Amino acid sequence: MYEEDLRDEATYDAARREERLWLRARDLGVSRRRLLQMMAAAGAGALLSACTTRVESPGGGSSAPTTASGTGPAPAAGGAAPSGGQTPAQGVAPAPGAAAAPAPKDKGIVKPVPPEKFIDYGSNQEMRWNQMYNRGYVVPNDLFFVRNHSKTPRIDPATWKLRVEGSGVSRPLELTYDELLALPAVSVIRFVECAGNGRGFFEQRYGKKAQGTQWKLGAIGVAEWTGVPLREVLERAGIKRTARDVMPEGLDDLKVRRPLPVAKALEDDTLLVFAMNGEPLPPDHGFPVRLLVPGWIGVANTKWVGRIEVSEEPLFSPWNTESYVLIGPDYKPEGKAKGPALTTQVVKSALELAWPAELPAGRHTVRGRSWSGHGRIRKVEYSLDGGKSWLPARLQEPNIPLAWVRWDFEWDAKPGEYEIRVRATDEKGNAQPDSVPWNDQGYLYGAVVGHPVKVG
Ligand SMILES: Nc1nc2c(c(=O)[nH]1)N[C@H]1C(S)=C(S)[C@@H](COP(=O)(O)O)O[C@H]1N2
Ligand SMILES: [Mo]
Protein backbone atom coordinates (compact mmCIF):
# COMPACT_ATOMS: atom_id res chain seq x y z
CA MET A 1 0.00 0.00 0.00
CA TYR A 2 2.98 2.31 -0.21
CA GLU A 3 3.35 4.36 -3.31
CA GLU A 4 6.70 5.09 -4.85
CA ASP A 5 6.59 8.82 -5.34
CA LEU A 6 5.41 10.15 -1.99
CA ARG A 7 7.93 12.89 -1.65
CA ASP A 8 6.36 16.18 -0.80
CA GLU A 9 4.72 17.05 2.46
CA ALA A 10 1.15 16.37 1.43
CA THR A 11 1.87 12.97 -0.04
CA TYR A 12 4.09 12.16 2.91
CA ASP A 13 1.15 12.91 5.19
CA ALA A 14 -1.03 10.71 3.04
CA ALA A 15 1.42 7.87 3.45
CA ARG A 16 1.47 8.40 7.20
CA ARG A 17 -2.31 8.20 7.16
CA GLU A 18 -2.16 4.93 5.28
CA GLU A 19 0.28 3.59 7.83
CA ARG A 20 -1.98 4.64 10.70
CA LEU A 21 -4.92 3.10 8.92
CA TRP A 22 -3.06 -0.13 8.62
CA LEU A 23 -2.03 -0.12 12.29
CA ARG A 24 -5.61 0.61 13.32
CA ALA A 25 -6.93 -2.12 11.03
CA ARG A 26 -4.41 -4.56 12.45
CA ASP A 27 -5.53 -3.73 15.97
CA LEU A 28 -9.02 -4.61 14.85
CA GLY A 29 -7.73 -7.94 13.58
CA VAL A 30 -7.92 -7.14 9.89
CA SER A 31 -5.23 -8.76 7.74
CA ARG A 32 -3.27 -6.65 5.27
CA ARG A 33 -4.73 -8.58 2.35
CA ARG A 34 -8.23 -8.08 3.65
CA LEU A 35 -7.52 -4.39 4.20
CA LEU A 36 -6.38 -4.01 0.62
CA GLN A 37 -9.54 -5.73 -0.60
CA MET A 38 -11.65 -3.46 1.58
CA MET A 39 -9.82 -0.41 0.34
CA ALA A 40 -10.38 -1.40 -3.25
CA ALA A 41 -14.05 -1.84 -2.53
CA ALA A 42 -14.74 1.17 -0.35
CA GLY A 43 -12.01 3.73 -0.87
CA ALA A 44 -9.41 4.70 1.67
CA GLY A 45 -11.34 7.67 3.01
CA ALA A 46 -14.34 5.63 4.06
CA LEU A 47 -12.11 3.06 5.69
CA LEU A 48 -10.22 5.70 7.53
CA SER A 49 -13.52 6.85 8.99
CA ALA A 50 -14.34 3.34 9.99
CA CYS A 51 -10.99 2.51 11.53
CA THR A 52 -9.81 5.77 13.06
CA THR A 53 -11.34 6.36 16.43
CA ARG A 54 -9.31 9.31 17.61
CA VAL A 55 -7.25 12.14 16.25
CA GLU A 56 -3.63 11.06 16.37
CA SER A 57 -1.85 14.05 15.00
CA PRO A 58 -2.68 17.12 17.09
CA GLY A 59 0.34 19.04 15.89
CA GLY A 60 -0.31 18.34 12.26
CA GLY A 61 -1.04 21.88 11.18
CA SER A 62 -2.78 22.82 7.98
CA SER A 63 -1.94 19.77 5.94
CA ALA A 64 -2.70 17.33 8.74
CA PRO A 65 -5.23 14.63 8.24
CA THR A 66 -7.23 15.50 11.32
CA THR A 67 -10.33 15.99 9.22
CA ALA A 68 -10.45 12.26 8.76
CA SER A 69 -11.03 11.61 12.41
CA GLY A 70 -14.12 9.54 12.11
CA THR A 71 -16.63 12.23 12.93
CA GLY A 72 -18.06 12.80 9.54
CA PRO A 73 -18.59 10.77 6.42
CA ALA A 74 -15.63 10.79 4.09
CA PRO A 75 -15.91 10.67 0.33
CA ALA A 76 -15.81 7.19 -1.09
CA ALA A 77 -13.76 5.97 -4.02
CA GLY A 78 -11.69 8.70 -5.58
CA GLY A 79 -10.20 9.36 -2.18
CA ALA A 80 -10.14 13.13 -2.04
CA ALA A 81 -10.25 12.88 1.73
CA PRO A 82 -6.51 12.29 2.23
CA SER A 83 -5.74 15.73 0.88
CA GLY A 84 -6.94 17.09 4.21
CA GLY A 85 -6.91 20.85 4.50
CA GLN A 86 -5.51 21.41 1.03
CA THR A 87 -8.70 21.71 -0.92
CA PRO A 88 -8.34 20.50 -4.48
CA ALA A 89 -9.66 22.72 -7.23
CA GLN A 90 -13.40 22.43 -7.66
CA GLY A 91 -14.51 19.57 -9.83
CA VAL A 92 -11.05 18.07 -10.09
CA ALA A 93 -10.79 14.52 -8.89
CA PRO A 94 -7.18 13.93 -7.84
CA ALA A 95 -5.73 10.47 -7.61
CA PRO A 96 -5.70 9.00 -4.11
CA GLY A 97 -2.99 10.55 -2.02
CA ALA A 98 -2.02 13.07 -4.69
CA ALA A 99 -3.22 16.34 -3.17
CA ALA A 100 -3.41 19.65 -4.96
CA ALA A 101 0.05 20.49 -3.64
CA PRO A 102 2.67 21.75 -6.09
CA ALA A 103 4.43 18.99 -7.99
CA PRO A 104 7.10 17.54 -5.70
CA LYS A 105 10.67 18.10 -6.67
CA ASP A 106 12.10 14.70 -7.31
CA LYS A 107 14.60 14.39 -4.49
CA GLY A 108 13.67 10.80 -3.72
CA ILE A 109 13.19 11.74 -0.07
CA VAL A 110 9.98 11.02 1.84
CA LYS A 111 10.10 13.39 4.80
CA PRO A 112 9.61 17.12 4.45
CA VAL A 113 12.93 18.92 3.96
CA PRO A 114 12.11 22.62 4.43
CA PRO A 115 14.88 25.15 3.72
CA GLU A 116 15.00 26.37 7.32
CA LYS A 117 16.05 22.89 8.44
CA PHE A 118 18.19 21.65 5.56
CA ILE A 119 20.66 22.82 2.96
CA ASP A 120 19.28 21.28 -0.20
CA TYR A 121 21.53 19.05 -2.33
CA GLY A 122 18.69 17.12 -3.95
CA SER A 123 18.88 13.55 -2.71
CA ASN A 124 21.23 14.75 0.03
CA GLN A 125 20.04 17.12 2.74
CA GLU A 126 22.42 18.80 5.17
CA MET A 127 21.28 19.67 8.68
CA ARG A 128 21.44 23.37 9.46
CA TRP A 129 23.54 23.64 12.61
CA ASN A 130 21.75 26.72 13.93
CA GLN A 131 18.69 24.45 14.38
CA MET A 132 20.61 22.59 17.07
CA TYR A 133 21.33 25.71 19.17
CA ASN A 134 20.74 24.86 22.82
CA ARG A 135 18.78 21.75 21.87
CA GLY A 136 18.84 18.39 23.55
CA TYR A 137 21.51 15.80 23.01
CA VAL A 138 20.04 13.95 20.04
CA VAL A 139 19.02 15.30 16.65
CA PRO A 140 15.24 14.95 16.18
CA ASN A 141 14.30 12.65 13.31
CA ASP A 142 12.79 15.49 11.27
CA LEU A 143 16.12 17.35 11.38
CA PHE A 144 18.48 14.42 10.79
CA PHE A 145 20.58 14.76 7.62
CA VAL A 146 19.80 12.49 4.67
CA ARG A 147 22.35 10.95 2.36
CA ASN A 148 20.86 8.81 -0.41
CA HIS A 149 22.88 7.36 -3.28
CA SER A 150 19.59 6.82 -5.09
CA LYS A 151 16.09 7.31 -3.72
CA THR A 152 14.33 6.23 -0.57
CA PRO A 153 12.58 2.94 -1.34
CA ARG A 154 9.16 2.22 0.17
CA ILE A 155 9.31 -1.16 1.82
CA ASP A 156 6.38 -3.10 3.22
CA PRO A 157 7.42 -4.64 6.54
CA ALA A 158 4.85 -7.40 6.05
CA THR A 159 6.80 -8.82 3.11
CA TRP A 160 10.30 -7.64 4.07
CA LYS A 161 12.83 -10.36 4.87
CA LEU A 162 16.45 -10.37 5.92
CA ARG A 163 18.57 -13.12 4.37
CA VAL A 164 21.90 -14.09 5.89
CA GLU A 165 24.01 -16.30 3.67
CA GLY A 166 27.44 -16.97 2.19
CA SER A 167 30.47 -19.17 2.75
CA GLY A 168 31.00 -17.71 6.23
CA VAL A 169 27.82 -19.15 7.77
CA SER A 170 26.85 -22.79 8.28
CA ARG A 171 23.09 -22.18 8.73
CA PRO A 172 21.92 -19.55 6.23
CA LEU A 173 18.71 -18.00 7.50
CA GLU A 174 15.84 -15.74 6.66
CA LEU A 175 14.11 -13.50 9.20
CA THR A 176 10.82 -11.63 8.94
CA TYR A 177 10.33 -8.22 10.54
CA ASP A 178 8.39 -9.77 13.42
CA GLU A 179 11.06 -12.43 13.93
CA LEU A 180 13.79 -9.81 14.05
CA LEU A 181 11.84 -7.68 16.52
CA ALA A 182 11.42 -10.75 18.76
CA LEU A 183 15.21 -11.05 19.22
CA PRO A 184 16.99 -9.36 22.15
CA ALA A 185 17.38 -5.65 21.44
CA VAL A 186 19.44 -2.82 22.92
CA SER A 187 19.45 0.96 22.59
CA VAL A 188 22.59 3.04 22.11
CA ILE A 189 23.28 6.71 21.40
CA ARG A 190 25.73 7.11 18.53
CA PHE A 191 26.47 9.40 15.61
CA VAL A 192 26.00 8.59 11.98
CA GLU A 193 28.25 10.85 9.91
CA CYS A 194 28.99 10.92 6.21
CA ALA A 195 32.64 10.31 5.27
CA GLY A 196 32.35 13.46 3.17
CA ASN A 197 31.17 15.69 6.01
CA GLY A 198 33.31 18.84 5.81
CA ARG A 199 34.16 18.20 2.15
CA GLY A 200 33.37 21.78 1.18
CA PHE A 201 36.42 22.96 3.12
CA PHE A 202 38.85 21.23 0.77
CA GLU A 203 38.05 23.99 -1.72
CA GLN A 204 38.81 26.68 0.85
CA ARG A 205 42.09 24.99 1.67
CA TYR A 206 43.27 23.85 -1.80
CA GLY A 207 41.44 26.20 -4.17
CA LYS A 208 39.68 23.36 -5.98
CA LYS A 209 36.59 21.34 -5.24
CA ALA A 210 36.79 17.70 -4.19
CA GLN A 211 34.28 15.42 -5.96
CA GLY A 212 30.89 15.08 -4.34
CA THR A 213 28.37 17.00 -2.28
CA GLN A 214 29.99 20.14 -0.88
CA TRP A 215 28.83 19.56 2.69
CA LYS A 216 29.89 21.94 5.39
CA LEU A 217 29.60 20.26 8.79
CA GLY A 218 25.94 19.23 8.86
CA ALA A 219 26.25 15.70 7.42
CA ILE A 220 26.15 14.28 10.92
CA GLY A 221 23.47 13.43 13.44
CA VAL A 222 23.28 11.72 16.80
CA ALA A 223 20.27 9.56 17.65
CA GLU A 224 19.22 6.85 20.03
CA TRP A 225 19.20 3.72 17.92
CA THR A 226 17.31 0.61 19.01
CA GLY A 227 18.05 -2.69 17.40
CA VAL A 228 19.26 -6.25 17.57
CA PRO A 229 23.03 -6.73 17.80
CA LEU A 230 24.15 -8.01 14.41
CA ARG A 231 26.07 -10.64 16.35
CA GLU A 232 22.81 -12.20 17.58
CA VAL A 233 21.75 -12.78 14.00
CA LEU A 234 25.16 -13.90 12.75
CA GLU A 235 25.38 -16.42 15.59
CA ARG A 236 21.96 -17.81 14.75
CA ALA A 237 23.20 -18.24 11.18
CA GLY A 238 26.13 -20.27 12.51
CA ILE A 239 28.91 -17.82 11.70
CA LYS A 240 32.15 -19.78 11.16
CA ARG A 241 35.44 -19.08 12.89
CA THR A 242 36.87 -18.72 9.42
CA ALA A 243 34.40 -15.97 8.47
CA ARG A 244 36.19 -12.83 7.39
CA ASP A 245 33.99 -10.15 5.84
CA VAL A 246 30.34 -9.21 6.25
CA MET A 247 28.52 -7.33 3.50
CA PRO A 248 25.05 -5.91 4.20
CA GLU A 249 23.11 -5.02 1.05
CA GLY A 250 20.50 -2.27 0.72
CA LEU A 251 17.15 -2.70 -1.05
CA ASP A 252 17.50 0.65 -2.79
CA ASP A 253 17.92 0.88 -6.57
CA LEU A 254 21.71 0.85 -6.34
CA LYS A 255 21.81 -1.96 -3.75
CA VAL A 256 24.38 -0.04 -1.74
CA ARG A 257 26.71 -2.46 0.04
CA ARG A 258 29.84 -1.72 2.00
CA PRO A 259 31.72 -4.70 3.43
CA LEU A 260 33.05 -4.65 6.96
CA PRO A 261 35.40 -7.00 8.76
CA VAL A 262 33.84 -9.64 10.98
CA ALA A 263 35.42 -8.17 14.14
CA LYS A 264 33.54 -4.89 13.69
CA ALA A 265 30.37 -6.76 12.73
CA LEU A 266 30.45 -8.69 16.03
CA GLU A 267 30.88 -5.68 18.34
CA ASP A 268 28.21 -5.13 21.00
CA ASP A 269 26.92 -1.89 19.49
CA THR A 270 26.89 -2.91 15.82
CA LEU A 271 23.13 -3.19 15.44
CA LEU A 272 20.35 -4.08 13.05
CA VAL A 273 18.34 -0.98 13.92
CA PHE A 274 14.55 -0.78 13.75
CA ALA A 275 13.88 2.34 15.84
CA MET A 276 15.35 5.85 15.90
CA ASN A 277 14.78 8.15 18.86
CA GLY A 278 11.95 5.93 20.01
CA GLU A 279 10.06 5.84 16.73
CA PRO A 280 10.01 3.21 14.00
CA LEU A 281 12.94 3.97 11.71
CA PRO A 282 11.71 6.65 9.26
CA PRO A 283 11.70 5.65 5.57
CA ASP A 284 14.59 7.97 4.67
CA HIS A 285 16.74 6.56 7.44
CA GLY A 286 16.34 2.94 6.42
CA PHE A 287 12.89 1.60 7.29
CA PRO A 288 12.30 -1.14 8.14
CA VAL A 289 15.88 -2.00 9.19
CA ARG A 290 19.30 -0.39 8.85
CA LEU A 291 22.74 -1.21 10.12
CA LEU A 292 24.48 0.90 12.76
CA VAL A 293 28.28 0.69 12.69
CA PRO A 294 29.42 3.06 15.45
CA GLY A 295 32.36 5.35 14.82
CA TRP A 296 32.64 4.33 11.19
CA ILE A 297 31.95 6.30 8.04
CA GLY A 298 28.28 6.81 7.21
CA VAL A 299 28.16 4.46 4.24
CA ALA A 300 28.85 1.47 6.51
CA ASN A 301 25.46 2.12 8.11
CA THR A 302 23.52 0.35 5.34
CA LYS A 303 19.92 1.52 5.11
CA TRP A 304 17.01 -0.70 4.02
CA VAL A 305 19.12 -3.80 4.54
CA GLY A 306 17.66 -6.92 2.93
CA ARG A 307 20.55 -9.34 2.68
CA ILE A 308 23.82 -9.92 4.47
CA GLU A 309 26.61 -11.88 2.86
CA VAL A 310 29.16 -13.44 5.19
CA SER A 311 32.29 -14.68 3.48
CA GLU A 312 35.50 -16.52 4.23
CA GLU A 313 37.09 -14.43 1.48
CA PRO A 314 37.58 -10.66 1.45
CA LEU A 315 34.55 -8.96 -0.10
CA PHE A 316 34.55 -6.07 -2.53
CA SER A 317 31.99 -3.66 -3.91
CA PRO A 318 32.28 -0.28 -5.60
CA TRP A 319 31.91 1.23 -2.12
CA ASN A 320 35.23 -0.13 -0.87
CA THR A 321 37.22 -0.11 -4.09
CA GLU A 322 36.20 3.05 -6.02
CA SER A 323 34.54 5.28 -3.45
CA TYR A 324 35.15 5.60 0.28
CA VAL A 325 38.84 5.03 -0.40
CA LEU A 326 41.55 7.71 -0.23
CA ILE A 327 42.83 8.69 -3.67
CA GLY A 328 45.45 11.39 -4.02
CA PRO A 329 49.18 12.14 -4.12
CA ASP A 330 49.68 10.92 -0.55
CA TYR A 331 47.91 7.58 -1.06
CA LYS A 332 48.62 4.38 -3.01
CA PRO A 333 46.22 1.72 -4.35
CA GLU A 334 45.75 -1.28 -2.08
CA GLY A 335 45.00 -4.52 -3.91
CA LYS A 336 41.64 -4.23 -5.67
CA ALA A 337 40.99 -0.84 -4.08
CA LYS A 338 42.12 2.44 -5.64
CA GLY A 339 43.35 3.57 -2.24
CA PRO A 340 43.17 2.80 1.47
CA ALA A 341 39.59 2.02 2.46
CA LEU A 342 38.05 4.35 5.04
CA THR A 343 36.83 3.01 8.35
CA THR A 344 36.83 5.23 11.46
CA GLN A 345 35.75 8.86 11.48
CA VAL A 346 38.15 11.60 12.56
CA VAL A 347 37.71 14.31 15.21
CA LYS A 348 35.51 17.26 14.24
CA SER A 349 33.71 20.20 15.82
CA ALA A 350 30.83 22.41 14.78
CA LEU A 351 29.25 25.57 16.17
CA GLU A 352 25.48 25.71 16.65
CA LEU A 353 25.31 28.75 14.40
CA ALA A 354 24.23 29.57 10.88
CA TRP A 355 26.99 29.69 8.28
CA PRO A 356 27.90 32.54 8.05
CA ALA A 357 26.46 33.78 11.35
CA GLU A 358 25.28 37.25 12.35
CA LEU A 359 25.01 38.21 16.00
CA PRO A 360 24.05 41.44 17.71
CA ALA A 361 26.86 42.99 19.76
CA GLY A 362 26.82 41.98 23.42
CA ARG A 363 27.06 38.90 25.59
CA HIS A 364 26.40 35.53 24.00
CA THR A 365 26.67 31.92 25.03
CA VAL A 366 28.35 30.35 22.03
CA ARG A 367 27.56 26.65 21.74
CA GLY A 368 28.75 23.72 19.70
CA ARG A 369 29.49 20.01 19.65
CA SER A 370 32.58 17.87 19.03
CA TRP A 371 32.92 14.20 18.19
CA SER A 372 35.36 11.45 17.24
CA GLY A 373 35.07 7.94 15.83
CA HIS A 374 37.84 6.83 18.16
CA GLY A 375 36.31 7.59 21.55
CA ARG A 376 35.14 10.21 24.00
CA ILE A 377 36.10 13.87 23.54
CA ARG A 378 38.45 14.98 26.31
CA LYS A 379 39.09 18.64 25.54
CA VAL A 380 37.67 21.43 23.39
CA GLU A 381 39.38 24.78 22.86
CA TYR A 382 38.35 27.87 20.91
CA SER A 383 40.13 30.82 19.39
CA LEU A 384 38.73 34.23 18.49
CA ASP A 385 41.99 35.62 17.11
CA GLY A 386 42.73 33.36 14.15
CA GLY A 387 44.43 30.65 16.19
CA LYS A 388 46.98 32.76 18.07
CA SER A 389 45.48 32.09 21.49
CA TRP A 390 43.21 29.28 22.65
CA LEU A 391 40.83 29.06 25.60
CA PRO A 392 39.04 26.01 26.99
CA ALA A 393 35.32 25.56 26.26
CA ARG A 394 33.02 24.17 29.00
CA LEU A 395 32.03 20.56 28.30
CA GLN A 396 28.46 19.53 29.19
CA GLU A 397 27.21 16.12 30.22
CA PRO A 398 26.54 13.65 28.83
CA ASN A 399 29.74 12.96 26.92
CA ILE A 400 29.05 9.69 25.15
CA PRO A 401 31.84 8.04 23.13
CA LEU A 402 31.07 7.75 19.40
CA ALA A 403 28.28 10.26 19.83
CA TRP A 404 29.30 13.83 20.74
CA VAL A 405 29.85 16.28 23.52
CA ARG A 406 28.09 19.62 23.79
CA TRP A 407 30.20 22.58 24.92
CA ASP A 408 29.87 26.33 25.29
CA PHE A 409 31.67 29.53 26.17
CA GLU A 410 30.66 33.09 26.99
CA TRP A 411 31.55 35.79 24.52
CA ASP A 412 31.13 39.51 24.97
CA ALA A 413 31.08 40.26 21.27
CA LYS A 414 32.15 43.68 20.02
CA PRO A 415 31.08 44.80 16.54
CA GLY A 416 33.31 43.44 13.80
CA GLU A 417 33.99 40.40 11.64
CA TYR A 418 35.32 37.25 13.25
CA GLU A 419 36.23 33.67 12.50
CA ILE A 420 35.63 31.38 15.44
CA ARG A 421 37.98 28.40 15.47
CA VAL A 422 37.44 25.29 17.55
CA ARG A 423 39.68 22.30 18.07
CA ALA A 424 38.82 19.13 19.97
CA THR A 425 40.96 16.29 21.31
CA ASP A 426 39.66 12.81 22.03
CA GLU A 427 40.66 10.39 24.79
CA LYS A 428 43.13 8.64 22.48
CA GLY A 429 44.94 11.92 21.91
CA ASN A 430 43.61 12.52 18.39
CA ALA A 431 43.31 16.27 17.86
CA GLN A 432 42.04 18.37 14.99
CA PRO A 433 44.97 19.39 12.78
CA ASP A 434 45.36 22.70 10.95
CA SER A 435 45.21 20.98 7.58
CA VAL A 436 44.29 17.64 6.01
CA PRO A 437 46.11 16.14 2.98
CA TRP A 438 44.16 16.32 -0.26
CA ASN A 439 42.09 13.37 -1.47
CA ASP A 440 40.08 13.50 -4.70
CA GLN A 441 36.75 12.56 -3.13
CA GLY A 442 37.14 14.90 -0.19
CA TYR A 443 36.81 12.51 2.72
CA LEU A 444 37.65 12.98 6.40
CA TYR A 445 38.11 16.74 6.50
CA GLY A 446 38.77 17.01 10.22
CA ALA A 447 40.94 20.14 10.19
CA VAL A 448 40.14 23.24 12.23
CA VAL A 449 37.87 25.59 10.28
CA GLY A 450 37.14 29.27 10.81
CA HIS A 451 33.41 29.88 11.28
CA PRO A 452 32.57 33.36 9.90
CA VAL A 453 30.61 35.50 12.37
CA LYS A 454 29.59 39.12 11.84
CA VAL A 455 28.83 41.05 15.01
CA GLY A 456 26.98 44.37 15.06
N1 LIG B 1 21.22 1.29 1.21
C1 LIG B 1 21.84 2.46 1.42
N2 LIG B 1 22.43 2.66 2.60
C2 LIG B 1 23.05 3.82 2.86
C3 LIG B 1 23.13 4.83 1.87
C4 LIG B 1 22.46 4.62 0.63
O1 LIG B 1 22.45 5.45 -0.26
N3 LIG B 1 21.84 3.41 0.45
N4 LIG B 1 23.84 6.00 2.14
C5 LIG B 1 24.91 5.83 3.11
C6 LIG B 1 25.61 7.04 3.44
S1 LIG B 1 26.81 7.54 2.33
C7 LIG B 1 25.42 7.69 4.62
S2 LIG B 1 26.35 9.03 5.06
C8 LIG B 1 24.36 7.25 5.57
C9 LIG B 1 23.40 8.38 5.80
O2 LIG B 1 22.37 8.00 6.69
P1 LIG B 1 21.08 8.90 6.87
O3 LIG B 1 20.54 9.23 5.51
O4 LIG B 1 20.15 8.10 7.73
O5 LIG B 1 21.52 10.16 7.57
O6 LIG B 1 23.62 6.13 5.08
C10 LIG B 1 24.40 5.18 4.39
N5 LIG B 1 23.62 4.02 4.07
MO1 LIG C 1 28.06 9.12 3.33
Side-chain angles (χ1 to χ4, degrees):
M1 56 196 292
Y2 301 108
E3 293 177 28
E4 275 282 12
D5 58 347
L6 305 177
R7 278 170 218 150
D8 73 333
E9 193 158 354
T11 44
Y12 177 80
D13 285 345
R16 289 286 307 276
R17 277 196 297 284
E18 279 198 343
E19 278 164 20
R20 281 199 294 274
L21 173 60
W22 160 237
L23 292 175
R24 176 77 43 204
R26 195 182 57 182
D27 286 346
L28 296 170
V30 179
S31 76
R32 180 169 287 269
R33 191 158 152 262
R34 179 80 189 114
L35 180 73
L36 289 169
Q37 289 167 347
M38 288 159 78
M39 281 177 77
L47 267 169
L48 202 56
S49 295
C51 292
T52 307
T53 54
R54 65 175 173 198
V55 177
E56 295 184 60
S57 179
S62 61
S63 66
T66 46
T67 50
S69 59
T71 47
S83 62
Q86 299 184 337
T87 315
Q90 284 284 319
V92 178
K105 279 194 232 100
D106 191 15
K107 301 182 202 299
I109 292 175
V110 173
K111 71 180 179 183
V113 287
E116 66 276 13
K117 289 183 183 165
F118 296 98
I119 302 167
D120 180 12
Y121 299 106
S123 68
N124 302 321
Q125 297 288 324
E126 174 167 3
M127 179 190 78
R128 288 195 187 270
W129 264 103
N130 54 308
Q131 290 277 351
M132 288 304 290
Y133 185 77
N134 209 6
R135 280 230 186 182
Y137 192 82
V138 300
V139 177
N141 293 354
D142 65 341
L143 196 55
F144 208 94
F145 85 101
V146 179
R147 164 63 173 119
N148 280 355
H149 284 84
S150 43
K151 63 182 196 293
T152 294
R154 303 308 309 256
I155 296 166
D156 182 347
T159 54
W160 176 87
K161 284 194 173 62
L162 175 64
R163 275 190 297 144
V164 182
E165 59 196 9
S167 64
V169 293
S170 54
R171 295 188 297 276
L173 61 76
E174 213 171 61
L175 288 174
T176 65
Y177 188 58
D178 289 344
E179 286 167 344
L180 181 76
L181 267 57
L183 296 179
V186 297
S187 294
V188 297
I189 296 176
R190 298 287 184 269
F191 69 68
V192 166
E193 184 192 20
C194 188
N197 196 24
R199 181 183 286 127
F201 298 109
F202 276 99
E203 186 181 21
Q204 230 176 54
R205 170 70 183 73
Y206 291 95
K208 59 175 176 175
K209 278 193 170 79
Q211 296 157 25
T213 302
Q214 297 295 303
W215 308 107
K216 291 186 182 69
L217 287 162
I220 181 168
V222 165
E224 183 199 53
W225 309 98
T226 302
V228 176
L230 178 57
R231 188 188 54 231
E232 294 281 349
V233 170
L234 294 180
E235 280 172 357
R236 279 168 176 75
I239 186 165
K240 298 177 186 171
R241 296 172 61 163
T242 47
R244 176 164 179 162
D245 276 357
V246 174
M247 184 160 70
E249 184 176 294
L251 292 165
D252 44 348
D253 290 345
L254 280 170
K255 293 187 163 42
V256 169
R257 50 199 184 280
R258 217 292 172 149
L260 64 154
V262 82
K264 186 67 181 168
L266 293 174
E267 281 186 7
D268 291 346
D269 55 357
T270 297
L271 305 182
L272 287 161
V273 165
F274 54 80
M276 178 177 183
N277 292 328
E279 290 172 18
L281 201 54
D284 300 308
H285 300 293
F287 182 83
V289 176
R290 83 176 301 168
L291 204 65
L292 177 74
V293 183
W296 278 38
I297 55 169
V299 71
N301 300 262
T302 312
K303 301 193 276 190
W304 317 294
V305 59
R307 191 176 87 95
I308 298 176
E309 181 180 351
V310 185
S311 172
E312 294 179 288
E313 307 298 327
L315 291 171
F316 298 98
S317 80
W319 294 274
N320 70 344
T321 56
E322 312 264 326
S323 53
Y324 305 100
V325 299
L326 293 170
I327 303 171
D330 293 24
Y331 306 104
K332 290 198 186 63
E334 289 189 358
K336 290 190 183 172
K338 291 183 169 169
L342 302 175
T343 56
T344 308
Q345 289 284 27
V346 297
V347 186
K348 294 199 193 75
S349 302
L351 288 153
E352 296 166 14
L353 289 174
W355 189 295
E358 285 188 32
L359 293 174
R363 293 195 62 81
H364 295 280
T365 304
V366 179
R367 300 177 189 276
R369 307 180 188 223
S370 299
W371 60 95
S372 164
H374 295 279
R376 200 185 306 270
I377 296 293
R378 200 184 65 208
K379 182 172 73 171
V380 179
E381 300 159 293
Y382 69 97
S383 171
L384 298 167
D385 58 8
K388 286 200 274 298
S389 64
W390 294 86
L391 289 163
R394 244 186 336 248
L395 305 195
Q396 305 290 355
E397 291 296 324
N399 184 353
I400 301 173
L402 315 193
W404 54 27
V405 66
R406 291 170 297 173
W407 45 260
D408 55 59
F409 61 87
E410 301 302 321
W411 184 29
D412 191 6
K414 307 276 182 302
E417 307 221 349
Y418 298 85
E419 277 196 357
I420 303 182
R421 275 161 223 263
V422 179
R423 68 178 183 212
T425 306
D426 71 18
E427 60 189 343
K428 306 267 166 58
N430 300 297
Q432 293 186 252
D434 289 331
S435 174
V436 168
W438 172 266
N439 71 88
D440 292 357
Q441 295 174 98
Y443 299 125
L444 306 188
Y445 197 88
V448 172
V449 300
H451 193 125
V453 182
K454 194 172 160 186
V455 177

